[in-house]
Amino acid sequence: MKYIIVTGGVISGIGKGVVASSLGTLLHSCGIGVTSIKIDPYLNMDAGTFSPYEHGEVYVLDDGGEVDLDLGNYERFLDITLHRDNNITTGKIYKKVIDRERVGDYLGKTVQVVPHITNEIQEWLEKVATTPVKGNITPEVCIVELGGTIGDIESMPFVEALRQFQFRVKRENFCLAHVSLVPSPPATGEPKTKPTQASVRELRGLGLSPDLIVCRSEHPIGNEIKEKISNFCHVAPEQVIGIHDMSSIYHVPLLMEDAGVIDMLNDRLKLNLTSTRPVQFMQNWRDLTERIDNVHKKVTIAVVGKYTKLQDSYASLSKSLLHASLALGYKVIIKYIEACDLERETKQTQPQSYYEAWQALTDSQGVIVPGGFGTRGVEGKIRACQWSRENKKPFLGICLGLQAAVIEFARNILQIENATTAEIEPKCEHPLVIEMPEHHPGQLGGTMRLGKRTTIFKKDKSIMRQLYGNVDQIQERHRHRYEINPKYVAQLEEKGMQFVGHDSEKTRMEIIELKDHPYYVATQFHPEYLSRPLKPSPPFLGLILASVGKLDSHLQQGNKLASPSDVASENSA
């Protein structure tokens, strides 16, 4: 097993996840099986209880693991299926060691960070690295991203474990890539290498020497800067790679390929790759980036959310919109609207925010109401559902978005004025949305309906069934604690809201569609988690198609996407 470790310096959020994913993409394109592990040095057991404002979205895996959003990048770039153990946290490691201590595994010994914690980390890496993530194929290379910044006190046990690990697996199986910032202060405009020098010096002082230094910068850096970093950081000039800001993160693998990273990894890890690449090598990625740069037709989608102040809260959703729009030859413009700003109370307290939010909503070509938790902003989401329904605006609700759509329909079509969700009013008279029986109120972490579950389509013809290829059932990932109250389903369907998908027990409603509407659909599951750059998610594809007036023709033509060359020629015409 070969290991590539990715660390970061100077600042957090520098793009380690994209760099790690891009390294994996290059190796995967060479025919090498790749897996990924993300180390998060916080004490939480997982990311499930984080505020989206602090940590961005919570990404959900097939097995129900609630993990860091970087694992979403790994899955999208590499088209693999990761597991909860591919995300290591300090909490997981310490709990495992303490549990072992309680049952007597360390009898007679003082349990310490070194060697017990560091040994547990190394054993975890070796075990998870060999777990298949694509079919039954055992990976050949494991990419390990260490979260945070070198020098953080909470990451020290992991740094020490990795220092020991390089000797455990031998030098030819261990490669370290360090991602560092090369800032260009506005006063001078000249790239500064001192932060990178200091970061590498600290890394080397901890016993780890980088084999590859990835320099993140606003603009491309020249050979002079690379040579300066080479001189002061004890690496060859060709081991200094510049990654500047681009129009899309999907450019990064191509930048790294042009910089000779494949040859460097081949030499360093003895991968036995041939020097000649296939004719179509990385062609899918080149086609994708060409679409990103050359598509000019635009489609505007409003996202009515609760956590819009940090766009990383909707990372997978925005990526899914990008995947779907590019596949159809459009550039998506996302307008984030705070759900609270659509509520009537805001009109009295903050009229400017109220009118700006409604202006943004009415100017959009399509609307998404995504998931969320808690009572704040729910009424704003319900009003967005109502406006989309009444004005025939293409609409996609996800999780809480589905629940909001059902509540709105019950209030205004079924005339149940006090219809609401038990999440807001646990003892309400008409709970259209109720708590699931398996939820444990006393424990919030990992107690929701999580992971990949089966949704079965009704036999009747529906838009969503057609978008999914007219299959009988699908599997999508879930993350919710509340569901539609089955006792109201018959009344809702009688008035035109069709539940076209349900779970295998036929008790949980998974997909709704509205009759006599261009595209008014909602899902209890989160389709954004399985969207891929080259395989867009069907519900998002349907939203973009409906928003540009092409849904009917697309379905009549057999639900087939245009080829990259067709899209390119159409946009250049």
Side-chain angles (χ1 to χ4, degrees), residues 103-121:
V103 298
D105 284 359
Y106 308 118
L107 281 180
K109 297 178 182 177
T110 302
V111 182
Q112 297 174 291
V113 172
V114 180
H116 300 100
I117 294 295
T118 53
N119 283 349
E120 191 64 50
I121 293 168

Side-chain angles (χ1 to χ4, degrees), residues 232-293:
F232 284 98
C233 296
H234 200 64
V235 294
E238 58 268 21
Q239 292 172 268
V240 181
I241 307 298
I243 302 294
H244 57 279
D245 293 348
M246 300 288 288
S247 58
S248 165
I249 60 175
Y250 299 121
H251 282 278
V252 178
L254 299 175
L255 278 178
M256 299 183 87
E257 184 208 355
D258 293 340
V261 170
I262 294 177
D263 293 330
M264 194 280 293
L265 293 177
N266 186 32
D267 180 64
R268 179 68 183 77
L269 294 173
K270 305 294 186 291
L271 297 173
N272 299 319
L273 298 174
T274 59
S275 56
T276 57
R277 308 277 181 258
V279 176
Q280 293 295 313
F281 182 72
M282 297 288 288
Q283 190 58 48
N284 285 340
W285 286 92
R286 296 187 194 282
D287 291 341
L288 180 66
T289 54
E290 284 178 14
R291 286 188 182 191
I292 292 171
D293 293 338

Side-chain angles (χ1 to χ4, degrees), residues 140 161 174 190-191 245 273 335 409 487 542 563:
E140 300 171 62
F174 186 94
E190 178 187 0
D245 293 348
L273 298 174
K335 290 186 177 180
F409 195 84
K487 93 176 196 182
S563 67

Side-chain angles (χ1 to χ4, degrees), residues 57-113:
E57 77 167 3
V58 176
Y59 189 76
V60 178
L61 303 172
D62 272 8
D63 62 5
E66 297 174 287
V67 296
D68 184 86
L69 58 82
D70 277 325
L71 275 79
N73 277 329
Y74 303 157
E75 288 200 334
R76 283 187 285 269
F77 272 77
L78 302 174
D79 194 19
I80 57 179
T81 301
L82 298 174
H83 315 287
R84 64 175 75 242
D85 286 347
N86 287 85
N87 191 198
I88 302 175
T89 70
T90 301
K92 287 180 178 180
I93 294 294
Y94 273 77
K95 185 178 187 303
K96 196 163 185 181
V97 170
I98 291 169
D99 287 346
R100 290 182 62 182
E101 186 273 334
R102 290 290 83 189
V103 298
D105 284 359
Y106 308 118
L107 281 180
K109 297 178 182 177
T110 302
V111 182
Q112 297 174 291
V113 172

Side-chain angles (χ1 to χ4, degrees), residues 467-486:
L467 286 170
Y468 273 99
N470 285 308
V471 295
D472 292 331
Q473 61 184 44
I474 57 174
Q475 288 190 315
E476 292 277 5
R477 295 175 180 175
H478 293 68
R479 185 176 186 250
H480 63 107
R481 188 172 277 121
Y482 292 83
E483 62 182 349
I484 301 302
N485 192 338

